[in-house]
Amino acid sequence: MQIAANAVAAFHYTLTDDQGKVVDSSEGREPLTYLHGTGQIVPGLEKQMEGRTVGDKFNADVSPEEGYGIHHDELIQEVPKEAFQGVEDIQPGMQFQGRGPQGEINVTVTKVEGNTIYIDGNHPLAGQTLHFAIEVTDVRAATAEELEHGHVHGTGGHHH
Ligand code: ZN
């Protein structure tokens, strides 16, 4: 069976950036399982999964536009420490939920200078071309219940 809309597919992946550095990998974990055609993986990869079958190994390059988005300078901000009420010790690398132009975003603290906190609401991989090495490990038809819920049940999915 080939990967198409309403298929449940599982795959192993290694994601490297333009510098060849591995930024994420399923190595040593269960393969990633998803319901094809529902936007659960980045659009550029989902497109290239289409038509693949079990055992297929391939490389997929994904542009920022079809990956984690382009880099927005306006998402880099300086905010006063008072904005982080209830947080004792703010350190670079900490992540918070914030409000962006399009709703909730995750922001990362990049620098702390006295009472000024520098935050970045860009996805850490925004603006980067993604290089995936993929191995498809399973393809099956989604059950009626999975289609109704819009997610995968069982191994690698929801248990409820
Ligand atoms: Zn469900």
Side-chain angles (χ1 to χ4, degrees):
M1 161 169 193
Q2 290 181 320
I3 297 174
N6 300 341
V8 171
F11 63 93
H12 276 297
Y13 67 94
T14 299
L15 170 59
T16 50
D17 63 16
D18 276 332
Q19 285 72 47
K21 187 177 143 238
V22 175
V23 288
D24 194 12
S25 171
S26 62
E27 205 185 306
R29 297 197 305 235
E30 289 294 309
L32 185 70
T33 303
Y34 78 104
L35 180 58
H36 190 78
T38 56
Q40 288 168 4
I41 60 175
V42 293
L45 180 59
E46 187 162 54
K47 237 183 243 177
Q48 296 183 62
M49 294 295 287
E50 185 96 21
R52 308 284 181 174
T53 189
V54 174
D56 278 2
K57 288 183 182 182
F58 63 99
N59 294 317
D61 291 336
V62 174
S63 67
E65 291 81 2
E66 292 193 311
Y68 290 105
I70 58 171
H71 193 271
H72 295 283
D73 285 342
E74 67 270 25
L75 292 180
I76 298 173
Q77 291 177 349
E78 296 172 26
V79 291
K81 207 172 215 165
E82 297 84 74
F84 294 86
Q85 277 185 7
V87 187
E88 285 294 313
D89 187 21
I90 301 165
Q91 296 288 341
M94 289 174 87
Q95 292 192 321
F96 295 93
Q97 287 264 311
R99 199 164 292 281
Q102 264 107 43
E104 292 272 298
I105 53 166
N106 286 312
V107 300
T108 305
V109 175
T110 54
K111 198 163 68 164
V112 178
E113 262 180 17
N115 276 323
T116 307
I117 314 291
Y118 294 81
I119 56 170
D120 188 348
N122 288 288
H123 187 282
L125 291 170
Q128 298 211 36
T129 301
L130 312 172
H131 306 277
F132 288 98
I134 301 292
E135 181 182 357
V136 181
T137 58
D138 191 37
V139 184
R140 64 172 171 84
T143 64
E145 197 185 38
E146 285 173 325
L147 292 176
E148 196 184 306
H149 290 194
H151 57 229
V152 176
H153 292 164
T155 309
H158 287 243
H159 298 271
H160 63 98

Short mmCIF file of all heavy atoms in Angstrom, two decimals, residues 145 149 151-153 158 160, ligand 1:
data_model
loop_
_atom_site.label_atom_id
_atom_site.label_comp_id
_atom_site.label_asym_id
_atom_site.label_seq_id
_atom_site.Cartn_x
_atom_site.Cartn_y
_atom_site.Cartn_z
N GLU A 145 -12.66 5.12 12.98
CA GLU A 145 -12.56 5.89 14.23
C GLU A 145 -11.40 6.89 14.19
O GLU A 145 -11.52 8.02 14.63
CB GLU A 145 -12.40 4.94 15.41
CG GLU A 145 -12.69 5.60 16.74
CD GLU A 145 -12.40 4.69 17.92
OE1 GLU A 145 -11.41 3.93 17.87
OE2 GLU A 145 -13.16 4.74 18.89
N HIS A 149 -11.62 10.95 14.49
CA HIS A 149 -10.88 11.71 15.49
C HIS A 149 -9.80 12.60 14.87
O HIS A 149 -9.31 13.53 15.50
CB HIS A 149 -10.20 10.77 16.50
CG HIS A 149 -11.16 10.07 17.41
ND1 HIS A 149 -10.77 9.42 18.55
CD2 HIS A 149 -12.51 9.93 17.34
CE1 HIS A 149 -11.83 8.90 19.16
NE2 HIS A 149 -12.89 9.19 18.43
N HIS A 151 -6.74 11.61 14.22
CA HIS A 151 -5.40 11.22 14.69
C HIS A 151 -5.28 9.71 14.77
O HIS A 151 -6.27 8.99 14.65
CB HIS A 151 -5.07 11.88 16.03
CG HIS A 151 -6.08 11.58 17.11
ND1 HIS A 151 -6.64 12.55 17.88
CD2 HIS A 151 -6.62 10.42 17.54
CE1 HIS A 151 -7.49 12.00 18.76
NE2 HIS A 151 -7.49 10.71 18.55
N VAL A 152 -4.04 9.26 14.95
CA VAL A 152 -3.74 7.84 14.95
C VAL A 152 -4.01 7.25 16.34
O VAL A 152 -3.75 7.89 17.36
CB VAL A 152 -2.25 7.62 14.57
CG1 VAL A 152 -1.88 6.15 14.68
CG2 VAL A 152 -2.00 8.14 13.16
N HIS A 153 -4.53 6.04 16.37
CA HIS A 153 -4.69 5.29 17.62
C HIS A 153 -3.66 4.17 17.69
O HIS A 153 -3.14 3.73 16.68
CB HIS A 153 -6.10 4.67 17.70
CG HIS A 153 -7.18 5.71 17.85
ND1 HIS A 153 -8.49 5.44 17.62
CD2 HIS A 153 -7.11 7.01 18.21
CE1 HIS A 153 -9.21 6.53 17.84
NE2 HIS A 153 -8.40 7.50 18.19
N HIS A 158 -2.64 7.96 19.83
CA HIS A 158 -3.40 8.17 21.06
C HIS A 158 -3.87 6.85 21.66
O HIS A 158 -4.23 5.94 20.93
CB HIS A 158 -4.63 9.04 20.76
CG HIS A 158 -4.31 10.46 20.51
ND1 HIS A 158 -4.74 11.48 21.31
CD2 HIS A 158 -3.55 11.05 19.54
CE1 HIS A 158 -4.29 12.63 20.85
NE2 HIS A 158 -3.57 12.41 19.77
N HIS A 160 -6.78 6.00 24.02
CA HIS A 160 -7.93 6.45 24.80
C HIS A 160 -9.19 5.71 24.39
O HIS A 160 -9.15 4.92 23.46
CB HIS A 160 -8.13 7.97 24.68
CG HIS A 160 -8.43 8.40 23.28
ND1 HIS A 160 -9.66 8.64 22.80
CD2 HIS A 160 -7.59 8.64 22.23
CE1 HIS A 160 -9.59 9.02 21.54
NE2 HIS A 160 -8.35 9.00 21.17
ZN ZN B 1 -8.90 9.31 19.07
#
